[in-house]
Amino acid sequence: MVPSLRYLVGARGRAHGALFGGFPGACGPASGRPRPLCGGGRSASTSSFDIVIVGGGIVGLASARALILRHPSLSIGVLEKEKDLAIHQTGHNSGVVHSGIYYKPESLKAKLCVQGAALLYEYCQQKGISYKQCGKLIVAVEQEEIPRLKALYERGLQNGVQGLRLIQQEDIKKKEPYCRGLMAIDCPHTGIVDYRQVALSFAQDFQEAGGSVLTNFEVKDIEMAKEGPSGSIDGMKYLIVIKNTKGEEIRCQYVVTCAGLYSDRISELSGCTSDPRIVPFRGDYLLLKPEKCYLVKGNIYPVPDSRFPFLGVHFTPRMDGSIWLGPNAVLAFKREGYRPFDFSATDVMDIIVNSGLIKLAYQNFSYGVTEMYKACFLGATVKYLQKFIPEITISDILRQVAVRGLSLWQQPMKMSDNNIDYFLWHCFTLLLTGSTCSFK
């Protein structure tokens, strides 16, 4: 059963490259030879679909929307384990619309980020979704950071990021009156948005086009349908059976998995590889008191150090007018554990046994200790923030409410023997391809 599902990724994937070219990892039935998708799927029962997308976050909903708009004759369903859509990774991120400056020139990540930012702004305008193109400063506060800043600026130019310019101290003050810095990159096309709003708009587009969304459907198993009386399955239309934890079944011809923090486990269920494994990290933010929000106008970021996996603590304005400060990056003991004491024995064992955590810890030990220290001691984080805005004090800071503890750095950090791909939240690439992003 499992080998025949894996076969589809090769033979069936090549046969239907025009349909699934933008959705790597799509799985479906294998009958020994390619067979075309059946059209006219609208007449199928509610428990049978031509294509099923597992995962109701922004990636799954964007994939479902794109598929149904390109192939309106197919019946397509989205399965989501929660009662509401887009409440995990999509609803737990900083909301930044990145411009594409960080990624290697000519890489797919760089191209998709630049294109994705423009497409997202256009989509929000069409749908009346609020966003703010408030810009971003990447600020060097030490002399040794300036060469890295200039190299990053050249990278952004090569990537085609619009409006980039290097500015000096006097222009930094014009953009951010309370920010201190020697030199900065001004990224005017960086913005902020509520990505859950975007995802729910995708869901509305998908349903209006005839798609179906099934919530409270937690996938437990994906298998091939049993053989018919003749010993052959060629005559059966819906060859894949998807079962949930309640014993209910959905049948389909193709499966696209977009399961966020459970991507590796759902991939394994579908017959594909579970590598690379996901290691969950939690990012905690601090909240600037409302009466101090005048100190920050747009996004303020440090100059990233390519030796370490994260972009560093930064200042992030939100659509509701609040200012977030962070994040740190600490190991989480539950994949969807947004609070410090959330724990899952299964997830912890998976981290220990099946991931590259030891390799990660060895290569970044000093950085990890620093992150844990900042997570425990508020003063350490504030001292770092004061490098950029000296007026900020401990009394100006609120710790983020537990239920809003963020999972920005709890996105998948994908591990393999020869590579550690550090995940940075980047919704444009997710929006277009469902792939992860990394800074290298």
PDB file of all heavy atoms in Angstrom, residues 2 5-7 9 25-27 257 262-278 414-416:
ATOM      1  N   VAL A   2       1.798   1.311   0.945  1.00  0.00           N
ATOM      2  CA  VAL A   2       2.635   2.496   1.037  1.00  0.00           C
ATOM      3  C   VAL A   2       3.498   2.692  -0.199  1.00  0.00           C
ATOM      4  O   VAL A   2       3.574   3.785  -0.735  1.00  0.00           O
ATOM      5  CB  VAL A   2       3.506   2.445   2.312  1.00  0.00           C
ATOM      6  CG1 VAL A   2       4.515   3.575   2.330  1.00  0.00           C
ATOM      7  CG2 VAL A   2       2.612   2.533   3.539  1.00  0.00           C
ATOM      8  N   LEU A   5       1.582   4.310  -3.005  1.00  0.00           N
ATOM      9  CA  LEU A   5       1.360   5.742  -2.829  1.00  0.00           C
ATOM     10  C   LEU A   5       2.616   6.520  -3.188  1.00  0.00           C
ATOM     11  O   LEU A   5       2.550   7.575  -3.809  1.00  0.00           O
ATOM     12  CB  LEU A   5       0.967   6.035  -1.381  1.00  0.00           C
ATOM     13  CG  LEU A   5      -0.493   5.830  -1.023  1.00  0.00           C
ATOM     14  CD1 LEU A   5      -0.667   5.940   0.475  1.00  0.00           C
ATOM     15  CD2 LEU A   5      -1.384   6.819  -1.734  1.00  0.00           C
ATOM     16  N   ARG A   6       3.766   6.005  -2.806  1.00  0.00           N
ATOM     17  CA  ARG A   6       5.009   6.691  -3.133  1.00  0.00           C
ATOM     18  C   ARG A   6       5.239   6.719  -4.628  1.00  0.00           C
ATOM     19  O   ARG A   6       5.824   7.645  -5.174  1.00  0.00           O
ATOM     20  CB  ARG A   6       6.182   5.998  -2.437  1.00  0.00           C
ATOM     21  CG  ARG A   6       6.225   6.310  -0.941  1.00  0.00           C
ATOM     22  CD  ARG A   6       7.367   5.628  -0.272  1.00  0.00           C
ATOM     23  NE  ARG A   6       7.449   6.048   1.117  1.00  0.00           N
ATOM     24  CZ  ARG A   6       8.202   5.468   2.028  1.00  0.00           C
ATOM     25  NH1 ARG A   6       8.938   4.424   1.690  1.00  0.00           N
ATOM     26  NH2 ARG A   6       8.235   5.906   3.263  1.00  0.00           N
ATOM     27  N   TYR A   7       4.810   5.676  -5.328  1.00  0.00           N
ATOM     28  CA  TYR A   7       4.971   5.592  -6.770  1.00  0.00           C
ATOM     29  C   TYR A   7       4.329   6.785  -7.454  1.00  0.00           C
ATOM     30  O   TYR A   7       4.837   7.298  -8.444  1.00  0.00           O
ATOM     31  CB  TYR A   7       4.340   4.300  -7.294  1.00  0.00           C
ATOM     32  CG  TYR A   7       4.124   4.276  -8.782  1.00  0.00           C
ATOM     33  CD1 TYR A   7       5.178   3.986  -9.648  1.00  0.00           C
ATOM     34  CD2 TYR A   7       2.871   4.563  -9.319  1.00  0.00           C
ATOM     35  CE1 TYR A   7       4.971   3.970 -11.012  1.00  0.00           C
ATOM     36  CE2 TYR A   7       2.668   4.555 -10.683  1.00  0.00           C
ATOM     37  CZ  TYR A   7       3.720   4.251 -11.530  1.00  0.00           C
ATOM     38  OH  TYR A   7       3.504   4.248 -12.871  1.00  0.00           O
ATOM     39  N   VAL A   9       4.171   9.876  -6.627  1.00  0.00           N
ATOM     40  CA  VAL A   9       4.971  11.085  -6.632  1.00  0.00           C
ATOM     41  C   VAL A   9       5.853  11.129  -7.867  1.00  0.00           C
ATOM     42  O   VAL A   9       6.103  12.171  -8.437  1.00  0.00           O
ATOM     43  CB  VAL A   9       5.833  11.175  -5.356  1.00  0.00           C
ATOM     44  CG1 VAL A   9       6.707  12.415  -5.369  1.00  0.00           C
ATOM     45  CG2 VAL A   9       4.933  11.173  -4.136  1.00  0.00           C
ATOM     46  N   GLY A  25       4.863  17.329  -3.593  1.00  0.00           N
ATOM     47  CA  GLY A  25       4.472  16.423  -2.521  1.00  0.00           C
ATOM     48  C   GLY A  25       3.032  15.961  -2.621  1.00  0.00           C
ATOM     49  O   GLY A  25       2.536  15.298  -1.733  1.00  0.00           O
ATOM     50  N   ALA A  26       2.316  16.310  -3.724  1.00  0.00           N
ATOM     51  CA  ALA A  26       0.950  15.827  -3.867  1.00  0.00           C
ATOM     52  C   ALA A  26       0.968  14.323  -4.029  1.00  0.00           C
ATOM     53  O   ALA A  26       1.783  13.775  -4.754  1.00  0.00           O
ATOM     54  CB  ALA A  26       0.293  16.476  -5.086  1.00  0.00           C
ATOM     55  N   CYS A  27       0.059  13.646  -3.349  1.00  0.00           N
ATOM     56  CA  CYS A  27       0.011  12.190  -3.406  1.00  0.00           C
ATOM     57  C   CYS A  27      -1.364  11.739  -3.822  1.00  0.00           C
ATOM     58  O   CYS A  27      -2.355  12.395  -3.562  1.00  0.00           O
ATOM     59  CB  CYS A  27       0.365  11.591  -2.038  1.00  0.00           C
ATOM     60  SG  CYS A  27       2.034  11.955  -1.496  1.00  0.00           S
ATOM     61  N   THR A 257      -0.976  17.552   0.965  1.00  0.00           N
ATOM     62  CA  THR A 257      -0.855  17.740   2.410  1.00  0.00           C
ATOM     63  C   THR A 257      -0.174  19.067   2.722  1.00  0.00           C
ATOM     64  O   THR A 257       0.912  19.349   2.230  1.00  0.00           O
ATOM     65  CB  THR A 257      -0.080  16.585   3.058  1.00  0.00           C
ATOM     66  OG1 THR A 257       1.254  16.543   2.569  1.00  0.00           O
ATOM     67  CG2 THR A 257      -0.764  15.261   2.770  1.00  0.00           C
ATOM     68  N   TYR A 262       2.589  19.558  11.647  1.00  0.00           N
ATOM     69  CA  TYR A 262       2.456  18.105  11.548  1.00  0.00           C
ATOM     70  C   TYR A 262       2.739  17.621  10.122  1.00  0.00           C
ATOM     71  O   TYR A 262       2.362  16.511   9.749  1.00  0.00           O
ATOM     72  CB  TYR A 262       1.065  17.667  11.990  1.00  0.00           C
ATOM     73  CG  TYR A 262       0.878  17.758  13.492  1.00  0.00           C
ATOM     74  CD1 TYR A 262       0.488  18.946  14.087  1.00  0.00           C
ATOM     75  CD2 TYR A 262       1.124  16.668  14.316  1.00  0.00           C
ATOM     76  CE1 TYR A 262       0.343  19.053  15.466  1.00  0.00           C
ATOM     77  CE2 TYR A 262       0.978  16.753  15.688  1.00  0.00           C
ATOM     78  CZ  TYR A 262       0.590  17.958  16.256  1.00  0.00           C
ATOM     79  OH  TYR A 262       0.455  18.046  17.616  1.00  0.00           O
ATOM     80  N   SER A 263       3.418  18.430   9.331  1.00  0.00           N
ATOM     81  CA  SER A 263       3.671  18.092   7.933  1.00  0.00           C
ATOM     82  C   SER A 263       4.414  16.772   7.790  1.00  0.00           C
ATOM     83  O   SER A 263       4.100  15.960   6.908  1.00  0.00           O
ATOM     84  CB  SER A 263       4.471  19.210   7.261  1.00  0.00           C
ATOM     85  OG  SER A 263       3.717  20.386   7.179  1.00  0.00           O
ATOM     86  N   ASP A 264       5.424  16.545   8.637  1.00  0.00           N
ATOM     87  CA  ASP A 264       6.200  15.321   8.498  1.00  0.00           C
ATOM     88  C   ASP A 264       5.359  14.082   8.814  1.00  0.00           C
ATOM     89  O   ASP A 264       5.442  13.062   8.124  1.00  0.00           O
ATOM     90  CB  ASP A 264       7.457  15.376   9.374  1.00  0.00           C
ATOM     91  CG  ASP A 264       7.162  15.698  10.834  1.00  0.00           C
ATOM     92  OD1 ASP A 264       6.034  16.150  11.141  1.00  0.00           O
ATOM     93  OD2 ASP A 264       8.071  15.503  11.677  1.00  0.00           O
ATOM     94  N   ARG A 265       4.514  14.168   9.833  1.00  0.00           N
ATOM     95  CA  ARG A 265       3.700  13.009  10.214  1.00  0.00           C
ATOM     96  C   ARG A 265       2.617  12.727   9.178  1.00  0.00           C
ATOM     97  O   ARG A 265       2.355  11.564   8.846  1.00  0.00           O
ATOM     98  CB  ARG A 265       3.075  13.237  11.590  1.00  0.00           C
ATOM     99  CG  ARG A 265       4.121  13.292  12.709  1.00  0.00           C
ATOM    100  CD  ARG A 265       3.491  13.543  14.068  1.00  0.00           C
ATOM    101  NE  ARG A 265       4.513  13.712  15.101  1.00  0.00           N
ATOM    102  CZ  ARG A 265       4.260  14.050  16.354  1.00  0.00           C
ATOM    103  NH1 ARG A 265       2.993  14.240  16.740  1.00  0.00           N
ATOM    104  NH2 ARG A 265       5.244  14.197  17.226  1.00  0.00           N
ATOM    105  N   ILE A 266       1.978  13.767   8.656  1.00  0.00           N
ATOM    106  CA  ILE A 266       0.952  13.551   7.628  1.00  0.00           C
ATOM    107  C   ILE A 266       1.597  13.080   6.333  1.00  0.00           C
ATOM    108  O   ILE A 266       1.040  12.241   5.619  1.00  0.00           O
ATOM    109  CB  ILE A 266       0.145  14.847   7.395  1.00  0.00           C
ATOM    110  CG1 ILE A 266      -0.602  15.242   8.672  1.00  0.00           C
ATOM    111  CG2 ILE A 266      -0.843  14.666   6.245  1.00  0.00           C
ATOM    112  CD1 ILE A 266      -1.618  14.223   9.136  1.00  0.00           C
ATOM    113  N   SER A 267       2.783  13.571   6.030  1.00  0.00           N
ATOM    114  CA  SER A 267       3.510  13.096   4.850  1.00  0.00           C
ATOM    115  C   SER A 267       3.772  11.599   4.949  1.00  0.00           C
ATOM    116  O   SER A 267       3.598  10.847   3.978  1.00  0.00           O
ATOM    117  CB  SER A 267       4.833  13.855   4.711  1.00  0.00           C
ATOM    118  OG  SER A 267       5.611  13.329   3.656  1.00  0.00           O
ATOM    119  N   GLU A 268       4.158  11.157   6.139  1.00  0.00           N
ATOM    120  CA  GLU A 268       4.413   9.730   6.356  1.00  0.00           C
ATOM    121  C   GLU A 268       3.135   8.915   6.195  1.00  0.00           C
ATOM    122  O   GLU A 268       3.136   7.828   5.606  1.00  0.00           O
ATOM    123  CB  GLU A 268       5.013   9.530   7.741  1.00  0.00           C
ATOM    124  CG  GLU A 268       5.581   8.142   7.981  1.00  0.00           C
ATOM    125  CD  GLU A 268       6.371   8.079   9.276  1.00  0.00           C
ATOM    126  OE1 GLU A 268       6.141   8.927  10.158  1.00  0.00           O
ATOM    127  OE2 GLU A 268       7.203   7.171   9.393  1.00  0.00           O
ATOM    128  N   LEU A 269       2.015   9.444   6.701  1.00  0.00           N
ATOM    129  CA  LEU A 269       0.734   8.749   6.533  1.00  0.00           C
ATOM    130  C   LEU A 269       0.361   8.612   5.062  1.00  0.00           C
ATOM    131  O   LEU A 269      -0.246   7.618   4.653  1.00  0.00           O
ATOM    132  CB  LEU A 269      -0.381   9.516   7.261  1.00  0.00           C
ATOM    133  CG  LEU A 269      -0.458   9.432   8.787  1.00  0.00           C
ATOM    134  CD1 LEU A 269      -1.641  10.254   9.281  1.00  0.00           C
ATOM    135  CD2 LEU A 269      -0.570   7.992   9.255  1.00  0.00           C
ATOM    136  N   SER A 270       0.709   9.609   4.263  1.00  0.00           N
ATOM    137  CA  SER A 270       0.313   9.609   2.850  1.00  0.00           C
ATOM    138  C   SER A 270       1.186   8.696   2.005  1.00  0.00           C
ATOM    139  O   SER A 270       0.944   8.543   0.807  1.00  0.00           O
ATOM    140  CB  SER A 270       0.368  11.033   2.285  1.00  0.00           C
ATOM    141  OG  SER A 270       1.715  11.456   2.121  1.00  0.00           O
ATOM    142  N   GLY A 271       2.228   8.115   2.613  1.00  0.00           N
ATOM    143  CA  GLY A 271       3.100   7.225   1.876  1.00  0.00           C
ATOM    144  C   GLY A 271       4.371   7.885   1.408  1.00  0.00           C
ATOM    145  O   GLY A 271       5.217   7.243   0.782  1.00  0.00           O
ATOM    146  N   CYS A 272       4.531   9.179   1.692  1.00  0.00           N
ATOM    147  CA  CYS A 272       5.744   9.899   1.318  1.00  0.00           C
ATOM    148  C   CYS A 272       6.731   9.859   2.476  1.00  0.00           C
ATOM    149  O   CYS A 272       6.452   9.326   3.546  1.00  0.00           O
ATOM    150  CB  CYS A 272       5.408  11.344   0.941  1.00  0.00           C
ATOM    151  SG  CYS A 272       4.237  11.478  -0.430  1.00  0.00           S
ATOM    152  N   THR A 273       7.889  10.448   2.300  1.00  0.00           N
ATOM    153  CA  THR A 273       8.902  10.432   3.337  1.00  0.00           C
ATOM    154  C   THR A 273       8.527  11.375   4.473  1.00  0.00           C
ATOM    155  O   THR A 273       7.869  12.397   4.249  1.00  0.00           O
ATOM    156  CB  THR A 273      10.273  10.826   2.774  1.00  0.00           C
ATOM    157  OG1 THR A 273      11.225  10.847   3.837  1.00  0.00           O
ATOM    158  CG2 THR A 273      10.226  12.208   2.135  1.00  0.00           C
ATOM    159  N   SER A 274       8.964  11.036   5.683  1.00  0.00           N
ATOM    160  CA  SER A 274       8.742  11.918   6.829  1.00  0.00           C
ATOM    161  C   SER A 274       9.924  12.852   7.056  1.00  0.00           C
ATOM    162  O   SER A 274       9.892  13.694   7.955  1.00  0.00           O
ATOM    163  CB  SER A 274       8.530  11.085   8.103  1.00  0.00           C
ATOM    164  OG  SER A 274       9.677  10.284   8.366  1.00  0.00           O
ATOM    165  N   ASP A 275      10.969  12.692   6.251  1.00  0.00           N
ATOM    166  CA  ASP A 275      12.132  13.580   6.355  1.00  0.00           C
ATOM    167  C   ASP A 275      11.938  14.785   5.454  1.00  0.00           C
ATOM    168  O   ASP A 275      11.423  14.657   4.346  1.00  0.00           O
ATOM    169  CB  ASP A 275      13.407  12.840   5.953  1.00  0.00           C
ATOM    170  CG  ASP A 275      13.772  11.735   6.931  1.00  0.00           C
ATOM    171  OD1 ASP A 275      13.500  11.930   8.135  1.00  0.00           O
ATOM    172  OD2 ASP A 275      14.307  10.713   6.497  1.00  0.00           O
ATOM    173  N   PRO A 276      12.372  15.969   5.890  1.00  0.00           N
ATOM    174  CA  PRO A 276      13.015  16.244   7.172  1.00  0.00           C
ATOM    175  C   PRO A 276      12.006  16.362   8.310  1.00  0.00           C
ATOM    176  O   PRO A 276      10.860  16.698   8.086  1.00  0.00           O
ATOM    177  CB  PRO A 276      13.707  17.593   6.930  1.00  0.00           C
ATOM    178  CG  PRO A 276      12.886  18.236   5.865  1.00  0.00           C
ATOM    179  CD  PRO A 276      12.341  17.139   5.004  1.00  0.00           C
ATOM    180  N   ARG A 277      12.470  16.067   9.524  1.00  0.00           N
ATOM    181  CA  ARG A 277      11.621  16.116  10.702  1.00  0.00           C
ATOM    182  C   ARG A 277      11.461  17.546  11.211  1.00  0.00           C
ATOM    183  O   ARG A 277      12.320  18.400  10.999  1.00  0.00           O
ATOM    184  CB  ARG A 277      12.230  15.272  11.823  1.00  0.00           C
ATOM    185  CG  ARG A 277      12.191  13.786  11.552  1.00  0.00           C
ATOM    186  CD  ARG A 277      10.809  13.209  11.826  1.00  0.00           C
ATOM    187  NE  ARG A 277      10.799  11.757  11.664  1.00  0.00           N
ATOM    188  CZ  ARG A 277       9.758  10.994  11.938  1.00  0.00           C
ATOM    189  NH1 ARG A 277       8.649  11.544  12.400  1.00  0.00           N
ATOM    190  NH2 ARG A 277       9.812   9.689  11.763  1.00  0.00           N
ATOM    191  N   ILE A 278      10.361  17.782  11.902  1.00  0.00           N
ATOM    192  CA  ILE A 278      10.081  19.103  12.470  1.00  0.00           C
ATOM    193  C   ILE A 278      10.514  19.139  13.935  1.00  0.00           C
ATOM    194  O   ILE A 278      10.215  18.216  14.691  1.00  0.00           O
ATOM    195  CB  ILE A 278       8.590  19.441  12.340  1.00  0.00           C
ATOM    196  CG1 ILE A 278       8.254  19.735  10.872  1.00  0.00           C
ATOM    197  CG2 ILE A 278       8.200  20.624  13.230  1.00  0.00           C
ATOM    198  CD1 ILE A 278       6.790  19.915  10.597  1.00  0.00           C
ATOM    199  N   LYS A 414      13.574  22.342   9.612  1.00  0.00           N
ATOM    200  CA  LYS A 414      13.702  21.066   8.941  1.00  0.00           C
ATOM    201  C   LYS A 414      15.132  20.551   9.000  1.00  0.00           C
ATOM    202  O   LYS A 414      16.075  21.248   8.664  1.00  0.00           O
ATOM    203  CB  LYS A 414      13.224  21.197   7.500  1.00  0.00           C
ATOM    204  CG  LYS A 414      11.733  21.558   7.435  1.00  0.00           C
ATOM    205  CD  LYS A 414      11.183  21.325   6.068  1.00  0.00           C
ATOM    206  CE  LYS A 414       9.658  21.370   6.094  1.00  0.00           C
ATOM    207  NZ  LYS A 414       9.065  21.070   4.806  1.00  0.00           N
ATOM    208  N   MET A 415      15.264  19.292   9.393  1.00  0.00           N
ATOM    209  CA  MET A 415      16.574  18.716   9.635  1.00  0.00           C
ATOM    210  C   MET A 415      16.885  17.626   8.610  1.00  0.00           C
ATOM    211  O   MET A 415      16.023  16.852   8.225  1.00  0.00           O
ATOM    212  CB  MET A 415      16.633  18.085  11.031  1.00  0.00           C
ATOM    213  CG  MET A 415      16.202  19.017  12.135  1.00  0.00           C
ATOM    214  SD  MET A 415      17.376  20.343  12.345  1.00  0.00           S
ATOM    215  CE  MET A 415      16.494  21.282  13.592  1.00  0.00           C
ATOM    216  N   SER A 416      18.117  17.547   8.176  1.00  0.00           N
ATOM    217  CA  SER A 416      18.597  16.424   7.389  1.00  0.00           C
ATOM    218  C   SER A 416      20.052  16.193   7.741  1.00  0.00           C
ATOM    219  O   SER A 416      20.663  16.986   8.455  1.00  0.00           O
ATOM    220  CB  SER A 416      18.444  16.698   5.891  1.00  0.00           C
ATOM    221  OG  SER A 416      19.268  17.776   5.501  1.00  0.00           O
TER     222      SER A 416
END
